[in-house]
Every structure is written in C-alpha cells, then in structure tokens.
Amino acid sequence: MRRKAPTRSSRKPQAPSAQPIEVTLDSFNQDGRGVTRHAGKTLFVRNALPGERVLVQLTACHARYDEGETLELLSPSSDRREPGCVAYGQCGGCDLQHLEAAKALELKQQSVLQQLQRLGKVQPETLSAPITSAAWNYRRSARIGMNQRQRDQQLLVGFRRRGSSKLIDLDGCPVLQSRVEKLFIQIKHVLAEETELRHLTHLDLHLGDDSGVLCLRITRPLNSALIQRLTALAVELNLALVTEDNDGQLAWLYGCAEDLTYSPYAELKLHFQPGDFLQINPEVNRQLVARALEWLAPAPGQHLLDLFCGLGNFSLPIAASGARLSGVEGSADMVKRAEENARSNQLGHCQFYSADLSQDIRAHQWYRQTYDAILLDPPRSGAANLIPALAALKTQKILYVACNPAALARDAALLAAEGYRLTQFCVADMFPQTSHIESLALFQPQRR
C-alpha cells in the first residue's frame, strides 16, 4: 500500500544543530532581531544588528525560517552600544538597549514603511518627523511581579524573564520614571519582616502627572502591620495605595481616586482609576495628541467621531477646539469616566457611547450621524471589521492611531480599496529601548 505523504501540520520542527554558525546580518525585522539568509531559509538572530558578522547558536528550526541567539560578535556595528540596564538580555522588557537610540528609531520607522508598502501597497504622500521623548525614565505604568521562592523563601520582585513566566529579581528599572526607579528595593524593604508572602501576587503602578497609585493584588487580607508599612511607603512616594482582591474589588488604604489625574493637552486634566488604560509615555502622548489636532484641524461647527476613545485622551482635546465630539468605547466604565472628564473640564458638546467595536456598528444611533472626520485608536488586532462601515460615512479625514504596524498595513490596504489615500504619516516612539513602535496615519479621499 502506498503511504500517504505527511501534511505540513504533521511535520515536527527539526532539532537545531549544536554547531554554531557564522553569518552577516542584512536587515532588521519588526521585533528587533537581525535578519539574514542561511541554508536557503530566512534566519532571525536575537541581539544582532544589520551589517554585523556574528557567531550564532540556532535555537529553533522551522520549515521556512530558523531562529538563533548571538554567541559572539565577530564584527560589531558602529551603531552598537552598551546596554543601560544590568538585567538586559535576561529581563523580558527591553529588547533594543544594545542599539543606539537614534538608529533604533530610524530602523523602526523603516520597518513600518516597508510593511505599509509590502502588505498595504501604500506609501505616505508626506512623511513627518517622528515623535520622540527621553530614551530613559519615561515609563509611567508597569506591572511588577512578586513571588516567594519555595526552595529558600526568598522574595523576588521584578519583571518576567525573557521567554519565561518566571520572575527576574531586580533592584531597579531605568525606563521607569525616576521617582519610582528604586521602587523594587523599597518594596523588598517593606516586605522584609513578612515570613509568608504568597498571598501577594503583583503590584500595578500607574502614575499621573503629579500623582499616582500603587495597586497591590492580594488573595487574602493584609495584616495591620504590613498595611502600616505599605502606607508609609505610599506617603514617601506621594502615591495612593489600593489593594485588589480575587473578585476585582478595590480597597483604598491611602489617598483617593479624585487625586489621580494627567494632562494629555494644554490645561485639560483627565481623571483615571487603577487599571485604566494610560499611554505609557506621557511626553510622547502629549505630542501625539497635538499632532492629531494639527492634522485633523477640528473647528467649531464640525462633528468628529472618536472610536476606542477610552478616558477621552483624544476626545477632550478635540472637543476643546469647539467641535462636537462623539466618542465610542467598549468598556462602560471607561465611557462613564470619559463623561465625568468632559464635565470636570466643562466641555458640554461631547457625547459618549458604549459599544462592542468588534461587531457591526451600522445599527447604532451614533453611527447614523454625519461626521467631518474620524479618529480611531484600536488595539493591536486593528480595525479591519470597521473599515467598510467607516468608508461608507464618506468623511474627509480618517486618522488612524496604530500600535501594530502589520494591522495598520492590512487596514491601509482596505482603506485604499475604499477610495482613501495615505496623505500624512509619522511614527511615535512610545517605548524607547524596545522594538515597539506606534504610528499616526491620516487617510483622505482620492483626488477626483
């Protein structure tokens, strides 16, 4: 009997060779790895830069590509630099500290433009200057893990290791804002007197402009002595202190929610709660909002639609221009806070709606209105399902804020098929020291 050939899905990945190989890297991909060709396949190499010759240990072999780690730099790039963090390469956070910051931004922008051209078949008519910030001490939100190791009861405080669910113990993080850079050491000191810590799982940090909150995730109530020590730390850092239990219930131990604010633009102040989504980099966010306003140019008498509006990060600056604003968000709690933020900033010409934007939107009352422009800031999955409905509104401007270049490229192709062209584009370096890049893309109808 003739045997049936194995299907592609039944083929197991080949075991990588134990023998290191020498390669020269040709380019750079969207996740920060060097790229070359070897043995007829594409090879992705971690910690390798374009132009470098390196000794590589293969770590995974697939049907069409292989993966590897740099063992030795044989001919380093002039763009290479010493990482600024002692845990770099072990921590799962930053992945581009070995690359000079300006060159990293150049390569990230190049990667997005290549994806727009290759996947979206579009090119921007105008390429604007990138939006940037300080390369260190920029981050205002983080989830800090805590774990008491079983073998020796040592408390680990830090982030997850690269490619692992396990924690790496840290004393600090140089990309966190300077006022909390040593929070890891301070937490260890506060918890040093506790013998049983497995009821503490992680600490969420959220910083406003002059405020912030430490939200401690717990599986059972804290004892009074620990509450006292944690409160003293919160007072020292000028941060509120909250616990969150298994049911998601918050208990305020110090401070209050009304104190948590940040400004996305000019004199506006937005209130937020623990767990609300905030853009990680406040300086880049302010510039991003300002450029969105510049490109949209909202004016009194106009009506704009903001999809995935959140707390009102873009909505309220648009409304402050005098234009009418309709904002839509999936979370009813976020809609409530957007409404509260509009009231506290005395912006009466805003309407906010809760809707599942992953579904067909055409039956909603807010969709059946006339809009002069649309802004959308979707999650990493993008907004492919929305494009036909948005194009049917025939607005003069669609401004897309993207956190995933591949999703943007796909959606840009869909907009082009609906008769829109990419008129202005820029990248925003929201996460320096990482391969992550955000983009701002303005689409307008094709010229007749």
Side-chain angles (χ1 to χ4, degrees):
M1 180 184 293
R2 186 176 179 181
R3 293 183 179 273
K4 184 178 180 181
T7 62
R8 177 181 297 179
S9 60
S10 66
R11 296 173 186 166
K12 295 181 179 179
Q14 300 175 358
S17 170
Q19 184 67 34
I21 58 174
E22 286 188 23
V23 297
T24 299
L25 284 305
D26 303 317
S27 58
F28 177 88
N29 79 337
Q30 63 270 18
D31 63 5
R33 293 184 290 180
V35 183
T36 189
R37 297 283 296 179
H38 175 73
K41 293 192 289 185
T42 300
L43 172 62
F44 300 101
V45 183
R46 192 176 296 279
N47 193 24
L49 303 176
E52 290 186 328
R53 186 154 187 83
V54 298
L55 188 66
V56 177
Q57 177 63 62
L58 294 181
T59 56
C61 295
H62 306 273
R64 297 184 179 180
Y65 68 94
D66 294 338
E67 299 175 272
E69 295 272 356
T70 298
L71 292 179
E72 182 181 350
L73 289 169
L74 304 176
S75 179
S77 167
S78 60
D79 296 314
R80 180 173 285 274
R81 68 172 185 196
E82 284 297 315
C85 177
V86 295
Y88 183 67
Q90 302 174 67
C91 177
C94 300
D95 56 8
L96 283 186
Q97 287 190 21
H98 61 287
L99 178 58
E100 194 274 324
K103 187 65 176 180
L105 179 57
E106 175 189 329
L107 291 175
K108 288 194 283 187
Q109 176 177 270
Q110 185 181 91
S111 175
V112 182
L113 292 172
Q114 288 172 347
Q115 290 184 73
L116 283 170
Q117 186 171 19
R118 186 179 74 254
L119 303 177
K121 303 296 188 290
V122 298
Q123 296 184 62
E125 296 175 9
T126 301
L127 179 61
S128 297
I131 295 173
T132 62
S133 70
W136 302 98
N137 299 122
Y138 66 85
R139 189 177 180 117
R140 69 175 167 197
S141 298
R143 171 163 290 182
I144 300 171
M146 292 182 289
N147 184 41
Q148 190 172 30
R149 199 159 55 192
Q150 287 187 345
R151 69 171 184 266
D152 57 8
Q153 305 305 302
Q154 179 185 347
L155 173 65
L156 305 180
V157 178
F159 297 132
R160 295 192 186 279
R161 291 180 176 273
R162 194 183 74 195
S164 172
S165 61
K166 295 183 178 179
L167 293 181
I168 179 170
D169 193 40
L170 299 173
D171 287 337
C173 174
V175 299
L176 283 180
Q177 289 189 10
S178 56
R179 56 176 163 151
V180 291
E181 188 176 349
K182 300 301 182 182
L183 179 60
F184 302 86
I185 293 177
Q186 293 168 304
I187 288 292
K188 292 175 190 177
H189 178 73
V190 166
L191 299 178
E193 298 181 26
E194 298 294 311
T195 57
E196 171 56 50
L197 295 166
R198 290 188 178 87
H199 60 298
L200 311 178
T201 63
H202 62 257
L203 180 71
D204 284 332
L205 170 71
H206 303 284
L207 299 178
D209 292 342
D210 301 305
S211 60
V213 60
L214 299 172
C215 183
L216 185 63
R217 179 68 168 79
I218 60 174
T219 59
R220 70 168 190 264
L222 305 178
N223 64 62
S224 58
L226 180 54
I227 290 175
Q228 189 174 21
R229 293 196 300 275
L230 286 167
T231 301
L233 175 60
V235 172
E236 179 185 347
L237 295 173
N238 192 30
L239 300 175
L241 177 63
V242 178
T243 58
E244 181 183 4
D245 65 18
N246 285 334
D247 297 322
Q249 296 299 309
L250 300 180
W252 289 81
L253 304 182
Y254 176 73
C256 60
E258 288 73 21
D259 295 334
L260 303 179
T261 65
Y262 79 97
S263 175
Y265 185 75
E267 302 303 316
L268 294 173
K269 282 192 176 183
L270 272 63
H271 292 265
F272 65 92
Q273 293 271 347
D276 287 350
F277 173 77
L278 301 180
Q279 292 286 10
I280 288 290
N281 189 322
E283 176 56 30
V284 167
N285 183 58
R286 283 189 285 267
Q287 294 181 59
L288 192 64
V289 171
R291 192 162 296 183
L293 292 175
E294 176 189 342
W295 289 3
L296 289 171
Q302 292 187 335
H303 188 191
L304 280 76
L305 176 64
D306 181 8
L307 300 178
F308 308 96
C309 68
L311 297 167
N313 188 64
F314 290 99
S315 297
L316 299 193
I318 290 171
S321 71
R324 288 175 56 214
L325 186 285
S326 293
V328 186
E329 168 60 43
S331 165
D333 287 339
M334 295 289 268
V335 167
K336 179 181 178 182
R337 281 196 273 288
E339 292 172 338
E340 292 169 348
N341 282 325
R343 285 194 295 270
S344 66
N345 285 278
Q346 299 181 342
L347 296 171
H349 39 285
C350 302
Q351 293 288 328
F352 293 97
Y353 306 88
S354 177
D356 183 354
L357 294 174
S358 68
Q359 303 299 315
D360 191 342
I361 62 174
R362 282 169 280 205
H364 290 283
Q365 180 271 334
W366 53 263
Y367 174 80
R368 298 192 298 272
Q369 299 182 41
T370 301
Y371 296 101
D372 296 282
I374 299 170
L375 183 147
L376 63 155
D377 185 5
R380 288 190 60 80
S381 55
N385 64 299
L386 294 174
I387 300 302
L390 298 185
L393 292 173
K394 301 187 183 304
T395 59
Q396 292 304 299
K397 293 180 179 179
I398 297 178
L399 185 58
Y400 193 126
V401 185
C403 61
N404 182 353
L408 172 63
R410 178 203 63 206
D411 295 349
L414 296 175
L415 283 164
E418 296 283 357
Y420 282 83
R421 70 191 200 278
L422 178 54
T423 56
Q424 296 193 76
F425 178 82
C426 73
V427 294
D429 201 10
M430 188 71 73
F431 296 80
Q433 314 303 336
T434 79
S435 56
H436 184 88
I437 192 74
E438 304 219 348
S439 307
L440 195 63
L442 181 65
F443 295 88
Q444 294 177 270
Q446 295 285 355
R447 299 186 183 93
R448 294 182 179 179

